[in-house]
Amino acid sequence: MNKIGIIGAMELEVEALKAEMSVKRIVEKASMKFYEGTLNQAEVVIVQCGIGKVNAGICVQILADCFAVTHIINTGVAGSLSAELDIGDLVIGTEAVYHDMDVTSLGYEIGQVPGMDVRFFPADTAMVEAARVSCREAVCDITVRTGKIASGDQFISSKEAKEHIITAVGGYCTEMEGAAIAHAAYLNRIPFVIIRAISDKADDSAHMDYPSFEKAAAAHCSALVRDFVTKI
Ligand code: ADE
């Protein structure tokens, strides 16, 4: 039986899904509340991990060790790195990379964790495909792109920082947890996918746009995840 861990960093990224699930048990660990139950008939554990890479990594390890999840979905908002993506649009991550892992002075490329056999953590291809089907069926009038996601412990809100990420690692969008979730899922051999909706353009307008659009963007993600859990 599949058991899907669904992680959002902020309450607004998981509140709609939590409201719709049937909760069997709530377990608190590492100051995170894990809601175990069913969503649209699928077995799920929904959790708000908090912002940033450490919170995200800890959360995945708890989902692996204490809940034996078979799949992981990371849902939430992100800043756009591509002119193809406007506020509200969706990104399904095929791979995730750290934009702030920098051991270039020792000859590594940006994003490469020394000792890891990959620089870009690959999402599960079947989950990516299923998410694309859900997009077509459940959220049809929104632009969806499938590709790389860049993560780091920074809210990106300048043209310079945005350009740096595009040059260093590329990607359709940037956020603060995806690559850490991908990294921890990769180490635990748990298939995962990251689904993000654009809340801002990660440039000089981001600090204005983000508060205005985070709610609507998060709602787009929730609509997708609600359908997607039935396809895993
Ligand atoms: N999440 C949403 N927008 C973001 C941005 N501009 N930078 C980092 N994380 C984000």
Side-chain angles (χ1 to χ4, degrees):
M1 181 69 181
N2 286 336
K3 195 173 188 183
I4 307 162
I6 303 175
I7 306 173
M10 296 176 297
E11 179 61 16
L12 81 107
E13 293 171 326
V14 289
E15 65 192 357
L17 296 172
K18 266 172 29 187
E20 284 167 38
M21 77 179 284
S22 158
V23 181
K24 291 203 183 104
R25 193 166 71 119
I26 303 172
V27 178
E28 190 164 343
K29 276 188 190 297
S31 306
M32 300 172 195
K33 284 198 177 81
F34 294 80
Y35 290 73
E36 202 171 13
T38 53
L39 174 67
N40 234 345
Q41 264 108 62
E43 293 281 329
V44 296
V45 184
I46 301 182
V47 52
Q48 179 197 347
C49 72
I51 291 170
K53 296 184 298 183
V54 171
N55 284 326
I58 287 172
C59 186
V60 169
Q61 200 57 53
I62 294 171
L63 285 170
D65 292 346
C66 306
F67 296 93
V69 297
T70 57
H71 297 76
I72 288 176
I73 302 170
N74 173 216
T75 177
V77 298
S80 171
L81 294 177
S82 164
E84 290 172 33
L85 284 167
D86 214 336
I87 288 167
D89 292 343
L90 283 166
V91 178
I92 301 169
T94 52
E95 54 190 354
V97 59
Y98 297 118
H99 64 69
D100 60 351
M101 171 59 69
D102 184 346
V103 195
T104 49
S105 58
L106 297 183
Y108 295 92
E109 290 182 285
I110 294 207
Q112 178 67 49
V113 180
M116 289 297 301
D117 58 352
V118 291
R119 178 176 174 222
F120 304 110
F121 298 104
D124 181 67
T125 48
M127 290 179 82
V128 169
E129 200 38 54
R132 287 164 70 116
V133 173
S134 282
C135 277
R136 284 198 290 274
E137 292 177 2
V139 282
C140 29
D141 56 348
I142 294 172
T143 299
V144 181
R145 289 285 178 268
T146 306
K148 193 191 300 164
I149 292 178
S151 316
D153 282 327
Q154 289 166 19
F155 184 84
I156 303 302
S157 55
S158 75
K159 196 169 168 289
E160 293 71 29
K162 176 175 176 171
E163 286 306 322
H164 168 74
I165 294 173
I166 294 169
T167 309
V169 293
Y172 272 116
C173 66
T174 186
E175 35 79 315
M176 301 174 73
E177 298 81 24
I181 288 170
H183 184 170
Y186 183 80
L187 291 175
N188 285 280
R189 298 189 174 78
I190 300 171
F192 73 90
V193 71
I194 304 166
I195 295 167
R196 293 275 177 166
I198 302 301
S199 55
D200 57 83
K201 296 192 174 168
D203 58 13
D204 305 82
S205 62
H207 68 286
M208 298 283 287
D209 286 345
Y210 178 83
S212 316
F213 298 114
E214 57 170 359
K215 265 210 166 71
H220 287 180
C221 265
S222 301
L224 173 56
V225 173
R226 188 180 301 130
D227 184 80
F228 175 45
V229 291
T230 65
K231 295 188 163 60
I232 292 174

PDB file of all heavy atoms in Angstrom, residues 139-178:
ATOM      1  N   VAL A 139      -6.244  21.090 -13.515  1.00  0.00           N
ATOM      2  CA  VAL A 139      -5.954  22.532 -13.504  1.00  0.00           C
ATOM      3  C   VAL A 139      -5.664  23.014 -14.920  1.00  0.00           C
ATOM      4  O   VAL A 139      -4.617  23.583 -15.194  1.00  0.00           O
ATOM      5  CB  VAL A 139      -4.782  22.890 -12.560  1.00  0.00           C
ATOM      6  CG1 VAL A 139      -5.189  22.906 -11.119  1.00  0.00           C
ATOM      7  CG2 VAL A 139      -3.606  21.949 -12.729  1.00  0.00           C
ATOM      8  N   CYS A 140      -6.633  22.784 -15.806  1.00  0.00           N
ATOM      9  CA  CYS A 140      -6.356  22.867 -17.244  1.00  0.00           C
ATOM     10  C   CYS A 140      -5.951  24.243 -17.778  1.00  0.00           C
ATOM     11  O   CYS A 140      -5.161  24.320 -18.699  1.00  0.00           O
ATOM     12  CB  CYS A 140      -7.535  22.313 -18.022  1.00  0.00           C
ATOM     13  SG  CYS A 140      -9.092  22.493 -17.177  1.00  0.00           S
ATOM     14  N   ASP A 141      -6.412  25.363 -17.211  1.00  0.00           N
ATOM     15  CA  ASP A 141      -6.146  26.656 -17.859  1.00  0.00           C
ATOM     16  C   ASP A 141      -4.925  27.400 -17.306  1.00  0.00           C
ATOM     17  O   ASP A 141      -4.824  28.611 -17.402  1.00  0.00           O
ATOM     18  CB  ASP A 141      -7.405  27.546 -17.792  1.00  0.00           C
ATOM     19  CG  ASP A 141      -7.866  27.735 -16.366  1.00  0.00           C
ATOM     20  OD1 ASP A 141      -7.368  27.005 -15.489  1.00  0.00           O
ATOM     21  OD2 ASP A 141      -8.718  28.598 -16.125  1.00  0.00           O
ATOM     22  N   ILE A 142      -3.965  26.653 -16.739  1.00  0.00           N
ATOM     23  CA  ILE A 142      -2.761  27.272 -16.188  1.00  0.00           C
ATOM     24  C   ILE A 142      -1.549  26.766 -16.975  1.00  0.00           C
ATOM     25  O   ILE A 142      -1.483  25.593 -17.315  1.00  0.00           O
ATOM     26  CB  ILE A 142      -2.609  26.902 -14.693  1.00  0.00           C
ATOM     27  CG1 ILE A 142      -3.750  27.523 -13.882  1.00  0.00           C
ATOM     28  CG2 ILE A 142      -1.254  27.339 -14.142  1.00  0.00           C
ATOM     29  CD1 ILE A 142      -3.810  27.060 -12.448  1.00  0.00           C
ATOM     30  N   THR A 143      -0.582  27.672 -17.240  1.00  0.00           N
ATOM     31  CA  THR A 143       0.651  27.239 -17.917  1.00  0.00           C
ATOM     32  C   THR A 143       1.448  26.342 -16.976  1.00  0.00           C
ATOM     33  O   THR A 143       1.629  26.664 -15.801  1.00  0.00           O
ATOM     34  CB  THR A 143       1.506  28.474 -18.287  1.00  0.00           C
ATOM     35  OG1 THR A 143       0.759  29.276 -19.176  1.00  0.00           O
ATOM     36  CG2 THR A 143       2.824  28.066 -18.934  1.00  0.00           C
ATOM     37  N   VAL A 144       1.907  25.211 -17.498  1.00  0.00           N
ATOM     38  CA  VAL A 144       2.691  24.277 -16.693  1.00  0.00           C
ATOM     39  C   VAL A 144       4.004  24.004 -17.420  1.00  0.00           C
ATOM     40  O   VAL A 144       4.008  23.749 -18.622  1.00  0.00           O
ATOM     41  CB  VAL A 144       1.944  22.934 -16.508  1.00  0.00           C
ATOM     42  CG1 VAL A 144       2.765  21.979 -15.646  1.00  0.00           C
ATOM     43  CG2 VAL A 144       0.571  23.154 -15.897  1.00  0.00           C
ATOM     44  N   ARG A 145       5.118  24.077 -16.702  1.00  0.00           N
ATOM     45  CA  ARG A 145       6.411  23.711 -17.273  1.00  0.00           C
ATOM     46  C   ARG A 145       6.998  22.583 -16.438  1.00  0.00           C
ATOM     47  O   ARG A 145       6.795  22.525 -15.223  1.00  0.00           O
ATOM     48  CB  ARG A 145       7.368  24.908 -17.270  1.00  0.00           C
ATOM     49  CG  ARG A 145       6.999  25.973 -18.275  1.00  0.00           C
ATOM     50  CD  ARG A 145       7.340  25.545 -19.707  1.00  0.00           C
ATOM     51  NE  ARG A 145       6.944  26.537 -20.688  1.00  0.00           N
ATOM     52  CZ  ARG A 145       5.784  26.563 -21.332  1.00  0.00           C
ATOM     53  NH1 ARG A 145       4.874  25.631 -21.086  1.00  0.00           N
ATOM     54  NH2 ARG A 145       5.504  27.508 -22.210  1.00  0.00           N
ATOM     55  N   THR A 146       7.726  21.714 -17.099  1.00  0.00           N
ATOM     56  CA  THR A 146       8.338  20.571 -16.431  1.00  0.00           C
ATOM     57  C   THR A 146       9.848  20.728 -16.569  1.00  0.00           C
ATOM     58  O   THR A 146      10.345  20.849 -17.698  1.00  0.00           O
ATOM     59  CB  THR A 146       7.877  19.272 -17.133  1.00  0.00           C
ATOM     60  OG1 THR A 146       6.451  19.280 -17.150  1.00  0.00           O
ATOM     61  CG2 THR A 146       8.337  18.038 -16.399  1.00  0.00           C
ATOM     62  N   GLY A 147      10.572  20.767 -15.463  1.00  0.00           N
ATOM     63  CA  GLY A 147      12.019  20.948 -15.576  1.00  0.00           C
ATOM     64  C   GLY A 147      12.682  21.142 -14.228  1.00  0.00           C
ATOM     65  O   GLY A 147      12.135  20.776 -13.183  1.00  0.00           O
ATOM     66  N   LYS A 148      13.846  21.768 -14.274  1.00  0.00           N
ATOM     67  CA  LYS A 148      14.702  21.874 -13.087  1.00  0.00           C
ATOM     68  C   LYS A 148      14.224  22.937 -12.093  1.00  0.00           C
ATOM     69  O   LYS A 148      13.704  23.981 -12.499  1.00  0.00           O
ATOM     70  CB  LYS A 148      16.110  22.233 -13.565  1.00  0.00           C
ATOM     71  CG  LYS A 148      17.186  22.075 -12.516  1.00  0.00           C
ATOM     72  CD  LYS A 148      18.487  22.715 -12.984  1.00  0.00           C
ATOM     73  CE  LYS A 148      19.018  22.107 -14.252  1.00  0.00           C
ATOM     74  NZ  LYS A 148      20.043  22.950 -14.899  1.00  0.00           N
ATOM     75  N   ILE A 149      14.451  22.658 -10.805  1.00  0.00           N
ATOM     76  CA  ILE A 149      14.146  23.619  -9.739  1.00  0.00           C
ATOM     77  C   ILE A 149      15.434  23.869  -8.950  1.00  0.00           C
ATOM     78  O   ILE A 149      16.176  22.931  -8.652  1.00  0.00           O
ATOM     79  CB  ILE A 149      13.022  23.064  -8.824  1.00  0.00           C
ATOM     80  CG1 ILE A 149      11.705  23.003  -9.620  1.00  0.00           C
ATOM     81  CG2 ILE A 149      12.884  23.899  -7.559  1.00  0.00           C
ATOM     82  CD1 ILE A 149      10.520  22.436  -8.871  1.00  0.00           C
ATOM     83  N   ALA A 150      15.698  25.150  -8.647  1.00  0.00           N
ATOM     84  CA  ALA A 150      16.915  25.522  -7.913  1.00  0.00           C
ATOM     85  C   ALA A 150      16.539  26.010  -6.511  1.00  0.00           C
ATOM     86  O   ALA A 150      15.654  26.855  -6.365  1.00  0.00           O
ATOM     87  CB  ALA A 150      17.650  26.635  -8.669  1.00  0.00           C
ATOM     88  N   SER A 151      17.221  25.467  -5.505  1.00  0.00           N
ATOM     89  CA  SER A 151      16.864  25.808  -4.121  1.00  0.00           C
ATOM     90  C   SER A 151      18.069  26.339  -3.352  1.00  0.00           C
ATOM     91  O   SER A 151      19.211  25.966  -3.630  1.00  0.00           O
ATOM     92  CB  SER A 151      16.354  24.564  -3.374  1.00  0.00           C
ATOM     93  OG  SER A 151      15.467  23.817  -4.136  1.00  0.00           O
ATOM     94  N   GLY A 152      17.775  27.158  -2.351  1.00  0.00           N
ATOM     95  CA  GLY A 152      18.835  27.665  -1.478  1.00  0.00           C
ATOM     96  C   GLY A 152      18.207  28.388  -0.302  1.00  0.00           C
ATOM     97  O   GLY A 152      17.016  28.689  -0.314  1.00  0.00           O
ATOM     98  N   ASP A 153      19.023  28.674   0.710  1.00  0.00           N
ATOM     99  CA  ASP A 153      18.516  29.369   1.887  1.00  0.00           C
ATOM    100  C   ASP A 153      18.509  30.875   1.660  1.00  0.00           C
ATOM    101  O   ASP A 153      19.135  31.636   2.418  1.00  0.00           O
ATOM    102  CB  ASP A 153      19.360  28.990   3.119  1.00  0.00           C
ATOM    103  CG  ASP A 153      18.985  27.615   3.651  1.00  0.00           C
ATOM    104  OD1 ASP A 153      17.808  27.230   3.550  1.00  0.00           O
ATOM    105  OD2 ASP A 153      19.870  26.918   4.164  1.00  0.00           O
ATOM    106  N   GLN A 154      17.843  31.297   0.603  1.00  0.00           N
ATOM    107  CA  GLN A 154      17.746  32.734   0.281  1.00  0.00           C
ATOM    108  C   GLN A 154      16.408  33.012  -0.387  1.00  0.00           C
ATOM    109  O   GLN A 154      16.015  32.256  -1.292  1.00  0.00           O
ATOM    110  CB  GLN A 154      18.822  33.134  -0.737  1.00  0.00           C
ATOM    111  CG  GLN A 154      20.234  33.154  -0.235  1.00  0.00           C
ATOM    112  CD  GLN A 154      21.232  33.225  -1.391  1.00  0.00           C
ATOM    113  OE1 GLN A 154      20.897  33.589  -2.516  1.00  0.00           O
ATOM    114  NE2 GLN A 154      22.460  32.855  -1.109  1.00  0.00           N
ATOM    115  N   PHE A 155      15.738  34.087   0.035  1.00  0.00           N
ATOM    116  CA  PHE A 155      14.591  34.587  -0.731  1.00  0.00           C
ATOM    117  C   PHE A 155      15.179  35.476  -1.827  1.00  0.00           C
ATOM    118  O   PHE A 155      15.831  36.489  -1.532  1.00  0.00           O
ATOM    119  CB  PHE A 155      13.620  35.363   0.166  1.00  0.00           C
ATOM    120  CG  PHE A 155      12.389  35.801  -0.582  1.00  0.00           C
ATOM    121  CD1 PHE A 155      11.312  34.941  -0.737  1.00  0.00           C
ATOM    122  CD2 PHE A 155      12.324  37.064  -1.168  1.00  0.00           C
ATOM    123  CE1 PHE A 155      10.185  35.327  -1.453  1.00  0.00           C
ATOM    124  CE2 PHE A 155      11.204  37.459  -1.886  1.00  0.00           C
ATOM    125  CZ  PHE A 155      10.136  36.586  -2.024  1.00  0.00           C
ATOM    126  N   ILE A 156      14.988  35.107  -3.066  1.00  0.00           N
ATOM    127  CA  ILE A 156      15.626  35.807  -4.181  1.00  0.00           C
ATOM    128  C   ILE A 156      14.761  36.998  -4.600  1.00  0.00           C
ATOM    129  O   ILE A 156      13.605  36.829  -5.013  1.00  0.00           O
ATOM    130  CB  ILE A 156      15.843  34.838  -5.372  1.00  0.00           C
ATOM    131  CG1 ILE A 156      16.678  33.631  -4.918  1.00  0.00           C
ATOM    132  CG2 ILE A 156      16.523  35.571  -6.536  1.00  0.00           C
ATOM    133  CD1 ILE A 156      18.037  33.956  -4.328  1.00  0.00           C
ATOM    134  N   SER A 157      15.320  38.190  -4.471  1.00  0.00           N
ATOM    135  CA  SER A 157      14.532  39.391  -4.737  1.00  0.00           C
ATOM    136  C   SER A 157      15.368  40.484  -5.390  1.00  0.00           C
ATOM    137  O   SER A 157      15.190  41.668  -5.110  1.00  0.00           O
ATOM    138  CB  SER A 157      13.894  39.910  -3.441  1.00  0.00           C
ATOM    139  OG  SER A 157      14.896  40.119  -2.484  1.00  0.00           O
ATOM    140  N   SER A 158      16.298  40.083  -6.242  1.00  0.00           N
ATOM    141  CA  SER A 158      17.013  41.076  -7.058  1.00  0.00           C
ATOM    142  C   SER A 158      17.364  40.429  -8.397  1.00  0.00           C
ATOM    143  O   SER A 158      17.546  39.210  -8.483  1.00  0.00           O
ATOM    144  CB  SER A 158      18.293  41.558  -6.359  1.00  0.00           C
ATOM    145  OG  SER A 158      19.293  40.570  -6.430  1.00  0.00           O
ATOM    146  N   LYS A 159      17.464  41.287  -9.401  1.00  0.00           N
ATOM    147  CA  LYS A 159      17.793  40.837 -10.752  1.00  0.00           C
ATOM    148  C   LYS A 159      19.157  40.135 -10.742  1.00  0.00           C
ATOM    149  O   LYS A 159      19.346  39.107 -11.396  1.00  0.00           O
ATOM    150  CB  LYS A 159      17.850  42.080 -11.653  1.00  0.00           C
ATOM    151  CG  LYS A 159      17.805  41.819 -13.120  1.00  0.00           C
ATOM    152  CD  LYS A 159      17.590  43.138 -13.859  1.00  0.00           C
ATOM    153  CE  LYS A 159      17.815  42.983 -15.351  1.00  0.00           C
ATOM    154  NZ  LYS A 159      19.229  42.779 -15.713  1.00  0.00           N
ATOM    155  N   GLU A 160      20.104  40.679  -9.951  1.00  0.00           N
ATOM    156  CA  GLU A 160      21.464  40.127  -9.915  1.00  0.00           C
ATOM    157  C   GLU A 160      21.465  38.715  -9.328  1.00  0.00           C
ATOM    158  O   GLU A 160      22.082  37.805  -9.881  1.00  0.00           O
ATOM    159  CB  GLU A 160      22.395  41.019  -9.065  1.00  0.00           C
ATOM    160  CG  GLU A 160      22.677  42.389  -9.636  1.00  0.00           C
ATOM    161  CD  GLU A 160      21.467  43.345  -9.578  1.00  0.00           C
ATOM    162  OE1 GLU A 160      20.618  43.185  -8.657  1.00  0.00           O
ATOM    163  OE2 GLU A 160      21.360  44.219 -10.451  1.00  0.00           O
ATOM    164  N   ALA A 161      20.767  38.543  -8.207  1.00  0.00           N
ATOM    165  CA  ALA A 161      20.732  37.218  -7.564  1.00  0.00           C
ATOM    166  C   ALA A 161      20.043  36.210  -8.479  1.00  0.00           C
ATOM    167  O   ALA A 161      20.471  35.060  -8.604  1.00  0.00           O
ATOM    168  CB  ALA A 161      20.007  37.311  -6.224  1.00  0.00           C
ATOM    169  N   LYS A 162      18.990  36.668  -9.146  1.00  0.00           N
ATOM    170  CA  LYS A 162      18.256  35.798 -10.068  1.00  0.00           C
ATOM    171  C   LYS A 162      19.165  35.367 -11.233  1.00  0.00           C
ATOM    172  O   LYS A 162      19.260  34.182 -11.559  1.00  0.00           O
ATOM    173  CB  LYS A 162      17.025  36.563 -10.587  1.00  0.00           C
ATOM    174  CG  LYS A 162      16.217  35.823 -11.616  1.00  0.00           C
ATOM    175  CD  LYS A 162      14.964  36.624 -11.971  1.00  0.00           C
ATOM    176  CE  LYS A 162      14.168  35.974 -13.072  1.00  0.00           C
ATOM    177  NZ  LYS A 162      12.852  36.615 -13.269  1.00  0.00           N
ATOM    178  N   GLU A 163      19.867  36.333 -11.820  1.00  0.00           N
ATOM    179  CA  GLU A 163      20.766  36.034 -12.944  1.00  0.00           C
ATOM    180  C   GLU A 163      21.878  35.081 -12.521  1.00  0.00           C
ATOM    181  O   GLU A 163      22.276  34.191 -13.272  1.00  0.00           O
ATOM    182  CB  GLU A 163      21.393  37.333 -13.500  1.00  0.00           C
ATOM    183  CG  GLU A 163      20.440  38.191 -14.303  1.00  0.00           C
ATOM    184  CD  GLU A 163      19.744  37.439 -15.439  1.00  0.00           C
ATOM    185  OE1 GLU A 163      20.384  36.592 -16.079  1.00  0.00           O
ATOM    186  OE2 GLU A 163      18.541  37.693 -15.656  1.00  0.00           O
ATOM    187  N   HIS A 164      22.364  35.266 -11.295  1.00  0.00           N
ATOM    188  CA  HIS A 164      23.423  34.381 -10.793  1.00  0.00           C
ATOM    189  C   HIS A 164      22.934  32.926 -10.787  1.00  0.00           C
ATOM    190  O   HIS A 164      23.647  32.011 -11.224  1.00  0.00           O
ATOM    191  CB  HIS A 164      23.860  34.797  -9.390  1.00  0.00           C
ATOM    192  CG  HIS A 164      24.729  33.771  -8.729  1.00  0.00           C
ATOM    193  ND1 HIS A 164      26.044  33.569  -9.086  1.00  0.00           N
ATOM    194  CD2 HIS A 164      24.449  32.843  -7.780  1.00  0.00           C
ATOM    195  CE1 HIS A 164      26.546  32.567  -8.375  1.00  0.00           C
ATOM    196  NE2 HIS A 164      25.591  32.109  -7.576  1.00  0.00           N
ATOM    197  N   ILE A 165      21.726  32.709 -10.293  1.00  0.00           N
ATOM    198  CA  ILE A 165      21.191  31.333 -10.216  1.00  0.00           C
ATOM    199  C   ILE A 165      21.019  30.763 -11.619  1.00  0.00           C
ATOM    200  O   ILE A 165      21.394  29.611 -11.890  1.00  0.00           O
ATOM    201  CB  ILE A 165      19.840  31.312  -9.459  1.00  0.00           C
ATOM    202  CG1 ILE A 165      20.061  31.705  -8.005  1.00  0.00           C
ATOM    203  CG2 ILE A 165      19.193  29.931  -9.542  1.00  0.00           C
ATOM    204  CD1 ILE A 165      18.788  31.878  -7.204  1.00  0.00           C
ATOM    205  N   ILE A 166      20.469  31.582 -12.515  1.00  0.00           N
ATOM    206  CA  ILE A 166      20.237  31.105 -13.889  1.00  0.00           C
ATOM    207  C   ILE A 166      21.565  30.671 -14.519  1.00  0.00           C
ATOM    208  O   ILE A 166      21.664  29.615 -15.143  1.00  0.00           O
ATOM    209  CB  ILE A 166      19.532  32.201 -14.724  1.00  0.00           C
ATOM    210  CG1 ILE A 166      18.114  32.439 -14.179  1.00  0.00           C
ATOM    211  CG2 ILE A 166      19.498  31.833 -16.205  1.00  0.00           C
ATOM    212  CD1 ILE A 166      17.416  33.669 -14.728  1.00  0.00           C
ATOM    213  N   THR A 167      22.601  31.495 -14.312  1.00  0.00           N
ATOM    214  CA  THR A 167      23.912  31.167 -14.893  1.00  0.00           C
ATOM    215  C   THR A 167      24.553  29.970 -14.191  1.00  0.00           C
ATOM    216  O   THR A 167      25.139  29.091 -14.840  1.00  0.00           O
ATOM    217  CB  THR A 167      24.859  32.386 -14.751  1.00  0.00           C
ATOM    218  OG1 THR A 167      24.185  33.529 -15.256  1.00  0.00           O
ATOM    219  CG2 THR A 167      26.159  32.182 -15.505  1.00  0.00           C
ATOM    220  N   ALA A 168      24.428  29.928 -12.863  1.00  0.00           N
ATOM    221  CA  ALA A 168      25.160  28.898 -12.097  1.00  0.00           C
ATOM    222  C   ALA A 168      24.546  27.510 -12.244  1.00  0.00           C
ATOM    223  O   ALA A 168      25.271  26.528 -12.416  1.00  0.00           O
ATOM    224  CB  ALA A 168      25.202  29.292 -10.622  1.00  0.00           C
ATOM    225  N   VAL A 169      23.214  27.434 -12.149  1.00  0.00           N
ATOM    226  CA  VAL A 169      22.581  26.099 -12.154  1.00  0.00           C
ATOM    227  C   VAL A 169      21.378  25.986 -13.079  1.00  0.00           C
ATOM    228  O   VAL A 169      20.930  24.878 -13.371  1.00  0.00           O
ATOM    229  CB  VAL A 169      22.159  25.659 -10.715  1.00  0.00           C
ATOM    230  CG1 VAL A 169      23.366  25.434  -9.839  1.00  0.00           C
ATOM    231  CG2 VAL A 169      21.193  26.649 -10.069  1.00  0.00           C
ATOM    232  N   GLY A 170      20.809  27.127 -13.504  1.00  0.00           N
ATOM    233  CA  GLY A 170      19.621  27.102 -14.358  1.00  0.00           C
ATOM    234  C   GLY A 170      18.367  26.737 -13.567  1.00  0.00           C
ATOM    235  O   GLY A 170      18.385  26.668 -12.339  1.00  0.00           O
ATOM    236  N   GLY A 171      17.272  26.517 -14.280  1.00  0.00           N
ATOM    237  CA  GLY A 171      16.022  26.098 -13.625  1.00  0.00           C
ATOM    238  C   GLY A 171      14.861  26.981 -13.998  1.00  0.00           C
ATOM    239  O   GLY A 171      15.037  28.104 -14.483  1.00  0.00           O
ATOM    240  N   TYR A 172      13.660  26.447 -13.803  1.00  0.00           N
ATOM    241  CA  TYR A 172      12.441  27.214 -14.080  1.00  0.00           C
ATOM    242  C   TYR A 172      12.037  28.101 -12.912  1.00  0.00           C
ATOM    243  O   TYR A 172      11.391  29.125 -13.097  1.00  0.00           O
ATOM    244  CB  TYR A 172      11.282  26.263 -14.391  1.00  0.00           C
ATOM    245  CG  TYR A 172      11.189  25.900 -15.853  1.00  0.00           C
ATOM    246  CD1 TYR A 172      11.362  24.597 -16.280  1.00  0.00           C
ATOM    247  CD2 TYR A 172      10.908  26.873 -16.811  1.00  0.00           C
ATOM    248  CE1 TYR A 172      11.270  24.264 -17.621  1.00  0.00           C
ATOM    249  CE2 TYR A 172      10.815  26.556 -18.151  1.00  0.00           C
ATOM    250  CZ  TYR A 172      10.998  25.255 -18.551  1.00  0.00           C
ATOM    251  OH  TYR A 172      10.917  24.943 -19.874  1.00  0.00           O
ATOM    252  N   CYS A 173      12.374  27.648 -11.688  1.00  0.00           N
ATOM    253  CA  CYS A 173      11.959  28.456 -10.534  1.00  0.00           C
ATOM    254  C   CYS A 173      12.920  28.219  -9.380  1.00  0.00           C
ATOM    255  O   CYS A 173      13.719  27.275  -9.394  1.00  0.00           O
ATOM    256  CB  CYS A 173      10.522  28.139 -10.129  1.00  0.00           C
ATOM    257  SG  CYS A 173      10.271  26.475  -9.512  1.00  0.00           S
ATOM    258  N   THR A 174      12.818  29.107  -8.387  1.00  0.00           N
ATOM    259  CA  THR A 174      13.680  28.987  -7.209  1.00  0.00           C
ATOM    260  C   THR A 174      12.845  29.054  -5.941  1.00  0.00           C
ATOM    261  O   THR A 174      11.858  29.793  -5.874  1.00  0.00           O
ATOM    262  CB  THR A 174      14.782  30.079  -7.220  1.00  0.00           C
ATOM    263  OG1 THR A 174      15.676  29.831  -6.137  1.00  0.00           O
ATOM    264  CG2 THR A 174      14.221  31.488  -7.093  1.00  0.00           C
ATOM    265  N   GLU A 175      13.259  28.256  -4.976  1.00  0.00           N
ATOM    266  CA  GLU A 175      12.583  28.235  -3.674  1.00  0.00           C
ATOM    267  C   GLU A 175      13.582  27.780  -2.623  1.00  0.00           C
ATOM    268  O   GLU A 175      14.780  27.792  -2.899  1.00  0.00           O
ATOM    269  CB  GLU A 175      11.307  27.370  -3.742  1.00  0.00           C
ATOM    270  CG  GLU A 175      11.381  26.146  -4.636  1.00  0.00           C
ATOM    271  CD  GLU A 175      12.095  24.978  -4.019  1.00  0.00           C
ATOM    272  OE1 GLU A 175      13.177  25.166  -3.424  1.00  0.00           O
ATOM    273  OE2 GLU A 175      11.608  23.867  -4.183  1.00  0.00           O
ATOM    274  N   MET A 176      13.105  27.385  -1.432  1.00  0.00           N
ATOM    275  CA  MET A 176      14.051  27.239  -0.328  1.00  0.00           C
ATOM    276  C   MET A 176      14.085  25.841   0.313  1.00  0.00           C
ATOM    277  O   MET A 176      14.730  25.678   1.352  1.00  0.00           O
ATOM    278  CB  MET A 176      13.746  28.323   0.724  1.00  0.00           C
ATOM    279  CG  MET A 176      13.866  29.720   0.135  1.00  0.00           C
ATOM    280  SD  MET A 176      13.379  31.060   1.235  1.00  0.00           S
ATOM    281  CE  MET A 176      14.735  31.086   2.378  1.00  0.00           C
ATOM    282  N   GLU A 177      13.399  24.876  -0.279  1.00  0.00           N
ATOM    283  CA  GLU A 177      13.383  23.527   0.318  1.00  0.00           C
ATOM    284  C   GLU A 177      13.566  22.381  -0.665  1.00  0.00           C
ATOM    285  O   GLU A 177      14.058  21.297  -0.295  1.00  0.00           O
ATOM    286  CB  GLU A 177      12.040  23.272   1.066  1.00  0.00           C
ATOM    287  CG  GLU A 177      11.755  24.183   2.228  1.00  0.00           C
ATOM    288  CD  GLU A 177      11.179  25.528   1.783  1.00  0.00           C
ATOM    289  OE1 GLU A 177      10.604  25.591   0.685  1.00  0.00           O
ATOM    290  OE2 GLU A 177      11.319  26.502   2.532  1.00  0.00           O
ATOM    291  N   GLY A 178      13.142  22.577  -1.906  1.00  0.00           N
ATOM    292  CA  GLY A 178      13.015  21.459  -2.853  1.00  0.00           C
ATOM    293  C   GLY A 178      14.251  20.571  -2.968  1.00  0.00           C
ATOM    294  O   GLY A 178      14.155  19.341  -2.883  1.00  0.00           O
TER     295      GLY A 178
END
